[in-house]
Amino acid sequence: MQAYDLNKNHIVTPPGEIALSTNQLQVNYGNSKQASMVNASLSFPRFQITALIGASGSGKSTYLRSLNRMNDRIATVHGEIMYHNTNINSPKVNVYEVRKHIGMVFQKPNPFAKSITENITFALKAAGITNRQELRQRVETSLKEAALWDEVKDDLNKSALALSGGQQQRLCIARSIAMKPDILLLDEPASALDPISTAKLEVTLKELAKNYTIIIVTHNMQQASRVSSYTAFFHLGHVIEYDQTETIFQTPTIQATHDYVTGNFG
Amino acid sequence: MDDIQKKLASPSKASHEDIVGRIISYSCIAAIIILVISILYFITSRGLATFLTDHVNLWQFLTGKDWNPGSLNAQGKPQVGALPMIVTSFSVTILSALVATPFAIAVALFMTDIAPKSGTKFLQPVIELLVGIPSVVYGFIGLTVVVPVIRNLFGGTGAGILAGTIVLFVMVLPTITSLAVDALRAVPAYFRSASLALGATRFQTIYKVLLRAAMPRLLTAVIFGMARAFGEALAVQMVIGNAVLMPRNLITPTSTLTSQLTTNIGNTIMGTLPNNALWSLALILLLMSLVFNLLVRYIGKRGEIKS
Amino acid sequence: MTPNQTDRLATRFIQFLVLIVVLILLFLLGDIIISGLPHISWHFLTSPASSFSAGGGIRDQLFNSLYLLVLTLIISFPLALGSAIYLSEYAGDNWFTSLIRTAIEVLSSLPSVVVGLFGYLLFVIEFHLGFSILSGAIALTFFNLPLLIRSIEGSLHAVPNSQREAGIALGLSNWRTIRGILLPMALPGILTGIILSAGRIFGEAAALIYTAGQSAPILDYTNWNPTASSSFLNPMRPAETLAVHIWKVNTEGVTPDAVSISAGSSAVLIIIILLFNFGARAIGNRMYKKMTGGK
């Protein structure tokens, strides 16, 4: 692999309202001295889709999982994650509230072994929503937003495990947005799906961006260029370049980014 | 400060739930630790009373051949020689493990290498059933089948180390077998294919490659079996004869540590020497089970380094 | 001898040893069932035992075994569940966890007679509970805990990690995730583990001789007051179980028909344990199918 200067970078701050930003974020897994992610400082614009791209092992998933503290048990994260003027990377912050406002959808669909309805209502009930009318309303709205309603509205009591992979992933999105989060983190949500399901999912994501700030990790560059308005390129635990998606794909500043998006990488 | 900021800064229902969950599961763990510590403490303190309160010489206890704690010997010392029981316990344990091991490894090999599909399907339930039979039932069958056969063949009462060994052999067989199966399954498949590809026969592969690679874990399996045999009480008690005599051969009545304990602990009075002496036997049992435990760990560690 | 001949011979030898093991099991089961079944009758199952005359039954022993089993599970299941949750969900990779694991291993390797004697020392004598069902149930709990903890921990471990992440990512507490998502998924495995341990409890005798005792006082099955001394529900009364009964009639040698009583009791014991084993497998399979949606 060609050696690039990892300290050479080009990072912009998007104009307008910022939903979430990180400052000098560093992640160490377990007791490892070697950081998997160093000095990542990025700002994510509100109601936009931001894509994180890079080869496997570039640290993009590690970075994403740190944003709602999913790495708490397996890694130590240094640096600031600013959300609503609060550093949510502080041990004093209520991590459950963080995750309620910053939802996450994973690489592999992981619905609960419960019915479609229960998949959505389980966390709502735990959060104290008991009004049946409201629960039903939230199930319907979130399934509609995730573009799954028409396919499942007649068998909401069916086991979620009986759905297809693409449907399961959209259910996981519905489950997340039923909590009315502010930000949605998606970790390669389409990697386990077929092309048709992937296309459907991308349409859904664009719809969702009207109401949510979305940060999506993807190894699929076409996907990044189709759905996102901003793109960050990660390499070996460093953020190399962050700019408008068009700029990243057409006129990148850094050589490494150029090589990666044109396929001349490694 | 906006609403979200406030929520982020203050505990919620979920934080309380998690505290409750931690308290519950931590207290269960604490209970287990207290339990284990108190078992070790109580048995040890009782078992040491023979030596600390009654001033019995430890060496005499371990090597004396006369067990009659209620009465004094010619020198005016209590007769608490536990050697006969120690010897018998070790004899039945080692003999039964020696007999059971070839059978266990044969069954395990049959399940893993000779007929993996049908063998497992057929033998797995056999092993599970053997595990499931309660020890009193083994003892009862030993008493009604094994002891009479020995009596008819060799004379005497039929009870003794041989009967104990036969009963224990069947009891430790499933223990050793199921662990041996795990040991053999843990040998990576490429060990087998590499050996077979070099033109070795199946037996050569088994003997030169498989058994050697699996040796540490097979040893562990045998030690687990021995631990079970050493601690088994009722089945042995029913066929061993329960006479505290140095075993002279395999067919004279004798007594193991466990059989002596089960037979007599109810017949002695707490705090007296005869009772304390029995607790010392229990302490030997406890220490031996710790030794077996340590052996398993030691072998397990060495096995790890080698592979 | 050529390697191929050795190979064939060795295979034959292994098959021969396997055959012997199978024959041993068939002989054991055959012996128990054939010598035991003729003694099992309605009378045998429903009349009280008699020590000094022939024709006694096992009614009270059978009930005691079941009652003790239920009490033991009531005490040991919550403890085992809490401990297993700790080990599988909360325990870090540190010295404290390995200390706990060592403690549980030590507990599981203790001979049941030692566990029974500890129960005798602490509960029967120190706490003055006397020979009682309660003392017996506590002793059996000690003996049952390691096995149950291991099987519950295994079932929790088998739940994919993605389920934990799914719960936590929704802002659920770990505890809620464990209770509402992980435990239901682990339930088939947990149930199988409970039933298998029930079989072991049912056949255990060594830990009971000096805790639950060896006597079966006359029970009044119409007295539902657990504090009455003759009530069958009284947990403070001594209670000889079926397994202890087999041991006692054989070692005391005062019951004239000891052999046939033991044969019948052994058959009953084995049949119940077999039912437990089959039941465990059937329930496990059925719930697993139901859970995974393959109806």
Side-chain angles (χ1 to χ4, degrees):
Chain A
M1 194 193 277
Q2 198 184 328
Y4 296 103
D5 182 1
L6 295 172
N7 294 318
K8 208 168 123 194
N9 56 28
H10 167 78
I11 293 167
V12 301
T13 305
E17 197 183 348
I18 298 298
L20 183 77
S21 65
T22 65
N23 190 11
Q24 301 281 315
L25 207 67
Q26 177 175 332
V27 186
N28 292 52
Y29 276 110
N31 298 322
S32 157
K33 293 249 166 16
Q34 176 83 41
S36 310
M37 179 77 240
V38 286
N39 302 340
S41 306
L42 294 172
S43 305
F44 300 100
R46 189 136 205 240
F47 298 144
Q48 306 269 8
I49 300 182
T50 305
L52 312 183
I53 62 170
S56 7
S58 62
K60 54 193 193 304
S61 282
T62 301
Y63 177 77
L64 186 83
R65 289 170 55 92
S66 302
L67 295 181
N68 71 340
R69 306 260 308 257
M70 289 301 287
N71 279 340
D72 269 14
R73 284 189 64 181
I74 46 177
T76 33
V77 181
H78 300 282
E80 283 182 330
I81 305 169
M82 296 307 293
Y83 173 70
H84 276 260
N85 292 322
T86 309
N87 175 16
I88 56 171
N89 192 32
S90 147
K92 278 183 238 153
V93 163
N94 182 337
V95 63
Y96 311 107
E97 286 301 318
V98 169
R99 292 173 188 150
K100 261 185 212 165
H101 291 98
I102 308 178
M104 185 163 215
V105 175
F106 298 85
Q107 191 167 1
K108 241 182 103 209
N110 54 358
F112 303 134
K114 300 174 186 292
S115 74
I116 294 171
T117 311
E118 283 170 320
N119 257 280
I120 296 170
T121 56
F122 182 74
L124 294 174
K125 285 180 187 162
I129 299 167
T130 46
N131 183 313
R132 292 180 66 181
Q133 189 62 41
E134 167 151 27
L135 285 173
R136 205 176 312 143
Q137 195 53 50
R138 289 245 196 153
V139 170
E140 186 175 336
T141 320
S142 60
L143 283 173
K144 277 180 177 159
E145 278 190 286
L148 188 61
W149 176 252
D150 292 332
E151 293 163 56
V152 300
K153 63 173 185 263
D154 295 324
D155 28 29
L156 290 173
N157 292 319
K158 217 165 77 172
S159 167
L161 301 178
L163 297 174
S164 75
Q167 289 174 323
Q168 285 188 2
Q169 194 62 300
R170 273 177 285 145
L171 176 62
C172 291
I173 293 176
R175 182 173 70 181
S176 245
I177 56 188
M179 300 298 293
K180 301 204 170 148
D182 206 14
I183 300 170
L184 210 50
L185 309 175
L186 299 111
D187 189 1
E188 300 194 26
S191 67
L193 304 184
D194 61 81
I196 295 171
S197 304
T198 304
K200 267 189 178 173
L201 189 75
E202 286 176 9
V203 174
T204 312
L205 289 182
K206 281 192 158 170
E207 270 308 303
L208 286 173
K210 289 173 187 160
N211 301 312
Y212 303 93
T213 305
I214 294 176
I215 305 170
I216 176 172
V217 162
T218 176
H219 58 238
N220 178 337
M221 280 179 281
Q222 284 75 28
Q223 187 170 63
S225 66
R226 278 194 300 263
V227 299
S228 68
S229 43
Y230 277 83
T231 296
F233 169 61
F234 285 67
H235 182 51
L236 297 177
H238 292 253
V239 185
I240 302 294
E241 186 157 6
Y242 180 49
D243 209 327
Q244 293 197 9
T245 300
E246 245 171 61
T247 316
I248 291 280
F249 282 96
Q250 284 166 13
T251 52
T253 314
I254 310 281
Q255 185 63 34
T257 317
H258 179 265
D259 291 353
Y260 185 74
V261 298
T262 52
N264 293 323
F265 194 69
Chain B
M1 229 194 221
D2 65 16
D3 197 35
I4 289 179
Q5 225 175 326
K6 259 185 223 147
K7 277 187 178 164
L8 288 172
S10 49
S12 62
K13 202 174 145 216
S15 355
H16 294 304
E17 274 172 8
D18 226 36
I19 293 169
V20 171
R22 275 182 189 269
I23 291 174
I24 292 176
S25 64
Y26 280 56
S27 10
C28 289
I29 278 295
I32 304 255
I33 293 180
I34 292 170
L35 167 68
V36 174
I37 291 174
S38 47
I39 290 183
L40 297 182
Y41 170 76
F42 275 96
I43 304 277
T44 309
S45 66
R46 276 275 143 201
L48 288 179
T50 313
F51 312 108
L52 300 179
T53 330
D54 300 309
H55 303 294
V56 170
N57 182 306
L58 175 65
W59 184 245
Q60 272 166 10
F61 179 81
L62 292 176
T63 57
K65 291 178 191 165
D66 298 306
W67 179 267
N68 199 350
S71 57
L72 304 176
N73 64 6
Q75 288 88 41
K77 292 255 175 77
Q79 296 177 301
V80 281
L83 189 65
M85 290 162 284
I86 297 175
V87 169
T88 309
S89 274
F90 275 100
S91 308
V92 289
T93 301
I94 292 168
L95 286 175
S96 59
L98 276 181
V99 183
T101 303
F103 285 93
I105 292 182
V107 174
L109 281 172
F110 194 82
M111 285 166 76
T112 56
D113 285 76
I114 294 183
K117 272 207 182 117
S118 58
T120 305
K121 204 175 157 195
F122 178 66
L123 287 173
Q124 190 72 39
V126 170
I127 300 302
E128 280 170 19
L129 282 175
L130 282 174
V131 176
I133 297 177
S135 66
V136 280
V137 174
Y138 278 117
F140 170 63
I141 294 175
L143 193 63
T144 52
V145 179
V146 178
V147 170
V149 167
I150 295 175
R151 190 190 303 140
N152 292 336
L153 283 178
F154 303 106
T157 60
I161 291 183
L162 181 61
T165 301
I166 294 174
V167 169
L168 283 177
F169 150 65
V170 185
M171 293 183 73
V172 301
L173 184 61
T175 310
I176 304 182
T177 307
S178 53
L179 291 169
V181 170
D182 295 345
L184 292 173
R185 289 216 173 116
V187 178
Y190 62 81
F191 273 53
R192 292 179 175 84
S193 39
S195 166
L196 292 172
L198 289 171
T201 63
R202 185 165 64 190
F203 176 67
Q204 285 168 331
T205 305
I206 288 174
Y207 185 71
K208 296 235 163 93
V209 179
L210 262 186
L211 290 186
R212 280 183 202 190
M215 192 44 85
R217 292 190 65 175
L218 288 176
L219 266 178
T220 315
V222 175
I223 292 171
F224 268 112
M226 288 173 66
R228 182 166 184 207
F230 200 83
E232 175 51 44
L234 298 188
V236 177
Q237 194 254 7
M238 288 163 90
V239 299
I240 201 83
N242 297 312
V244 191
L245 298 168
M246 249 343 242
R248 274 178 291 116
N249 52 40
L250 297 183
I251 51 165
T252 51
T254 172
S255 189
T256 62
L257 296 164
T258 51
S259 75
Q260 186 58 25
L261 267 174
T262 35
T263 316
N264 284 323
I265 198 104
N267 303 331
T268 53
I269 298 156
M270 259 302 161
T272 62
L273 174 63
N275 185 271
N276 288 343
L278 288 174
W279 285 108
S280 301
L281 300 185
L283 181 58
I284 298 181
L285 281 175
L286 180 88
L287 292 178
M288 275 313 294
S289 87
L290 294 181
V291 168
F292 285 127
N293 224 310
L294 284 177
L295 268 178
V296 164
R297 281 174 170 243
Y298 176 71
I299 295 174
K301 279 223 177 91
R302 283 195 44 171
E304 263 169 39
I305 295 162
K306 265 187 191 167
S307 63
Chain C
M1 216 160 34
T2 69
N4 277 326
Q5 281 170 320
T6 322
D7 184 52
R8 228 168 293 142
L9 199 71
T11 308
R12 286 271 170 279
F13 183 61
I14 288 175
Q15 285 168 339
F16 172 70
L17 292 182
V18 170
L19 183 72
I20 292 183
V21 172
V22 173
L23 286 179
I24 290 175
L25 176 81
L26 290 181
F27 168 77
L28 284 173
L29 286 185
D31 185 66
I32 297 164
I33 303 293
I34 291 169
S35 63
L37 270 189
H39 300 291
I40 301 178
S41 61
W42 189 241
H43 172 80
F44 182 66
L45 294 175
T46 57
S47 35
S50 57
S51 303
F52 302 102
S53 59
I58 55 166
R59 179 190 70 187
D60 299 340
Q61 283 76 13
L62 196 54
F63 173 77
N64 286 341
S65 289
L66 290 171
Y67 191 31
L68 201 56
L69 171 64
V70 171
L71 265 187
T72 304
L73 286 179
I74 290 177
I75 303 172
S76 54
F77 177 65
L79 259 178
L81 184 64
S83 310
I85 288 177
Y86 174 83
L87 286 173
S88 139
E89 307 299 326
Y90 289 110
D93 189 11
N94 52 32
W95 65 271
F96 185 65
T97 308
S98 69
L99 177 83
I100 294 165
R101 290 198 187 278
T102 311
I104 293 173
E105 253 170 59
V106 166
L107 191 59
S108 80
S109 67
L110 288 181
S112 61
V113 57
V114 172
V115 174
L117 286 176
F118 169 72
Y120 169 66
L121 193 62
L122 195 63
F123 296 97
V124 177
I125 294 179
E126 299 273 335
F127 293 171
H128 302 290
L129 290 180
F131 288 133
S132 62
I133 293 197
L134 190 61
S135 304
I138 297 172
L140 284 184
T141 293
F142 301 161
F143 152 93
N144 189 33
L145 272 175
L147 193 82
L148 209 48
I149 292 176
R150 213 171 293 159
S151 82
I152 299 176
E153 194 197 342
S155 316
L156 279 172
H157 222 82
V159 177
N161 203 32
S162 63
Q163 292 287 319
R164 286 180 187 86
E165 293 195 322
I168 288 167
L170 289 169
L172 297 176
S173 62
N174 289 323
W175 185 241
R176 178 72 77 150
T177 309
I178 293 165
R179 258 181 29 200
I181 297 163
L182 306 186
L183 281 183
M185 281 195 89
L187 198 59
I190 293 176
L191 266 185
T192 310
I194 292 178
I195 300 174
L196 285 179
S197 78
R200 243 172 59 116
I201 296 172
F202 208 76
E204 175 57 29
L208 288 177
I209 294 175
Y210 293 110
T211 49
Q214 305 165 40
S215 57
I218 301 297
L219 296 184
D220 180 357
Y221 287 92
T222 54
N223 188 343
W224 288 77
N225 175 8
T227 54
S229 62
S230 68
S231 166
F232 66 108
L233 288 177
N234 184 353
M236 303 312 292
R237 64 181 170 84
E240 180 195 38
T241 65
L242 199 54
V244 172
H245 190 57
I246 297 174
W247 176 76
K248 202 182 77 174
V249 296
N250 275 298
T251 44
E252 284 192 339
V254 291
T255 315
D257 55 349
V259 170
S260 51
I261 288 181
S262 317
S265 307
S266 298
V268 172
L269 209 54
I270 292 290
I271 290 169
I272 293 176
I273 288 171
L274 284 183
L275 286 179
F276 277 138
N277 280 3
F278 288 133
R281 205 158 302 167
I283 289 180
N285 284 344
R286 224 173 107 192
M287 292 200 44
Y288 182 77
K289 269 190 196 141
K290 214 173 151 191
M291 299 253 325
T292 48
K295 279 169 202 165

